[in-house]
């Protein structure tokens, strides 16, 4: 979609991005999405570990924060409006004498962001194509007021724009937190640990010796380290599907994701269950929560010899699973 709109913009406006330009792209989710930028020298700003691995494998330079100047920047709009504003401000700050292109789907709120931008910069033409829009402005604009500040949730918890449940504790995690003492002893992992709400609740159990907090979102991984200061926790910025502990674990706790970049996909949660079975020792225990409509029972039964619903509400279900099946590990 970006590719279609960018090619269209290129036809309409001569040389909008010279082929020799160094370009920084915020929020590219795949190499295919930005093929239209070839042969320009592209740096991607991306913090989601599976996408970082894929972009790097495709030969694209990837960074998590920008500490250099570029000839031009492109913001591929994320769904979170505060994150979109933050990215646009960062993009404007790292371009000297060039343009910032802002591109997005209507369903991701491009209209609203372009409307806000028009009030603060001199926006170029707005081109519509493929259910989205693209426009651009000269990067000499000061958008520092669009930078997002950490969000204070009380209890010593802070979050940042764009992370999962940035505005408060997720109700499914709050339900799961009530039960973590059932499994938390010895060495364990919190899969998809986010900004650290469950991590801190698990660490509140004195029997926990070591806890690995595995999170793919770099911003969440960074803020979690401020939210959970405890010598027993090891924070790992990684894709759960690729991560392996030094030794099989005694317990795993998870509120698995079922969305990536706003797209629902229960296969992601299924992958987390399979990972839990893979990384647990023979008598290990797995505690997880899920939205009631999600189809996880079959995978749990395939991966574990004992599965029970420990608690539930009309919206959520909490499962306790034990004794991972060797064939599924
Ligand atoms: C439902 S949230 C739970 C977050 C946190 N445990 C809490 O209770 O607030 C799931 C988390 O998994 C992370 N995640 C998604 N895919 C992942 C992956 N492949 N590897 C590691 N973490 C992932 C998301 O970024 C998100 O923070």
């Amino acid at each position: 979609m970006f590719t279609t709109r960018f090619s269209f913009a290129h036809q309409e406006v001569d040389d909008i991005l010279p082929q020799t330009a160094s370009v920084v792209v915020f929020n590219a989710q795949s190499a295919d999405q930005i093929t239209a930028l070839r042969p320009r020298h592209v740096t991607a700003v991306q913090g989601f570990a599976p996408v970082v691995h894929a972009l790097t494998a495709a030969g694209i330079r990837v960074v998590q924060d920008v500490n250099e100047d570029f000839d031009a920047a492109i913001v591929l709009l994320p769904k979170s409006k505060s994150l979109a504003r933050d990215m646009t401000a960062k993009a404007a700050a790292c371009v000297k004498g060039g343009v910032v292109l802002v591109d997005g789907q209507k369903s991701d709120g491009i209209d609203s962001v372009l409307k806000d931008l028009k009030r603060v910069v001199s926006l170029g033409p707005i081109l519509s194509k493929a259910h989205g829009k693209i426009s651009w402005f000269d990067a000499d604009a000061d958008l520092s007021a669009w930078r997002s500040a950490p969000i204070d949730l009380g209890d010593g918890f802070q979050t940042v724009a764009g992370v999962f449940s940035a505005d408060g504790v997720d109700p499914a995690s709050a339900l799961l937190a009530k039960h973590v003492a059932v499994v938390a002893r010895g060495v364990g992992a919190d899969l998809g640990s986010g900004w650290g709400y469950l991590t801190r609740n698990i660490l509140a159990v004195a029997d926990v010796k070591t806890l690995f907090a595995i999170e793919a979102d770099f911003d969440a991984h960074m803020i979690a380290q401020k939210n959970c200061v405890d010598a027993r926790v090891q924070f790992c910025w990684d894709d759960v599907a690729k991560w392996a502990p030094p030794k099989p674990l005694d317990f795993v706790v998870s509120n698995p994701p079922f969305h990536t970049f706003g797209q629902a996909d229960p296969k992601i949660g299924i992958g987390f269950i399979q990972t839990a079975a893979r990384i647990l020792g023979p008598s290990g225990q797995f505690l997880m929560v899920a939205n009631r409509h999600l189809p996880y029972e079959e995978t749990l039964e395939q991966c574990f010899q004992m599965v029970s619903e420990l608690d539930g509400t009309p919206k959520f279900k909490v499962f306790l699973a034990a004794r991972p099946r060797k064939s599924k590990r």
Side-chain angles (χ1 to χ4, degrees):
M1 325 251 191
F2 162 71
T3 288
T4 312
R5 285 187 290 271
F6 178 73
S7 306
F8 182 53
H10 222 267
Q11 282 162 17
E12 295 288 306
V13 186
D14 219 15
D15 225 14
I16 187 172
L17 225 61
Q19 303 237 329
T20 52
S22 62
V23 183
V24 60
V25 183
F26 289 77
N27 193 35
Q29 291 164 20
S30 71
D32 284 352
Q33 194 186 8
I34 52 175
T35 45
L37 295 175
R38 282 188 196 138
R40 296 170 188 84
H41 182 72
V42 170
T43 298
V45 184
Q46 176 55 258
F48 190 63
V51 178
V52 173
H53 296 154
L55 292 174
T56 308
I60 295 167
R61 175 176 179 243
V62 189
V63 297
Q64 282 65 59
D65 217 348
V66 196
N67 298 309
E68 64 205 282
D69 291 341
F70 296 88
D71 297 327
I74 300 173
V75 178
L76 303 177
L77 214 67
K79 269 199 191 300
S80 155
K81 189 166 181 181
S82 47
L83 185 60
R85 288 167 69 96
D86 192 58
M87 283 180 182
T88 309
K90 282 182 182 163
C94 69
V95 172
K96 296 281 166 282
V99 289
V100 177
L101 285 94
V102 182
D103 176 273
Q105 297 302 110
K106 286 186 183 163
S107 54
D108 289 343
I110 185 71
D111 284 313
S112 150
V113 170
L114 292 180
K115 196 168 146 208
D116 289 353
L117 258 179
K118 257 189 190 170
R119 295 196 191 107
V120 287
V121 301
S122 165
L123 202 61
I126 297 176
L127 306 180
S128 298
K129 200 100 188 143
H131 308 291
K133 293 187 175 172
I134 189 166
S135 190
W136 53 91
F137 60 93
D138 286 337
D140 50 14
D142 177 13
L143 289 180
S144 48
W146 279 33
R147 288 298 310 270
S148 65
I151 305 159
D152 201 334
L153 299 184
D155 282 338
F157 281 126
Q158 282 197 337
T159 67
V160 287
V163 301
F164 169 78
S165 209
D167 295 327
V169 174
D170 176 57
S173 294
L175 177 64
L176 189 61
K178 290 186 194 161
H179 299 286
V180 291
V182 173
V183 299
R185 69 190 62 84
V187 181
D190 177 1
L191 298 186
S193 46
W195 49 261
Y197 171 73
L198 274 174
T199 311
R200 199 202 279 175
N201 277 274
I202 299 165
L203 290 166
V205 183
D207 293 340
V208 174
K209 243 173 78 190
T210 302
L211 181 65
F212 295 98
I214 320 303
E215 172 55 48
D217 178 338
F218 185 77
D219 292 341
H221 159 79
M222 293 305 286
I223 201 86
Q225 293 173 59
K226 296 191 177 155
N227 289 333
C228 309
V229 179
D230 189 307
R232 294 170 297 158
V233 63
Q234 291 187 31
F235 291 94
C236 310
W237 174 51
D238 207 345
D239 179 357
V240 153
K242 292 198 180 329
W243 184 77
K247 284 187 196 160
L249 299 176
D250 300 314
F251 73 93
V252 171
V253 173
S254 187
N255 174 4
F258 60 98
H259 285 100
T260 311
F261 299 117
Q263 299 280 359
D265 183 1
K267 283 203 288 297
I268 309 167
I270 289 172
F272 270 53
I273 296 169
Q274 291 164 340
T275 294
R278 168 174 62 82
I279 63 181
L280 278 167
S283 54
Q285 290 187 300
F286 176 43
L287 184 75
M288 69 170 278
V289 68
N291 285 31
R292 193 156 281 288
H293 71 276
L294 291 167
Y296 292 149
E297 285 79 354
E298 198 184 324
T299 310
L300 281 164
E301 295 287 349
Q302 282 167 357
C303 293
F304 292 90
Q305 295 178 53
M306 286 169 51
V307 179
S308 61
E309 188 174 322
L310 195 66
D311 193 3
T313 67
K315 261 188 112 175
F316 306 116
K317 44 194 178 184
V318 174
F319 290 109
L320 176 62
R323 299 177 50 205
R325 291 184 197 276
K326 294 225 183 297
S327 59
K328 297 287 166 193
R329 301 167 69 205

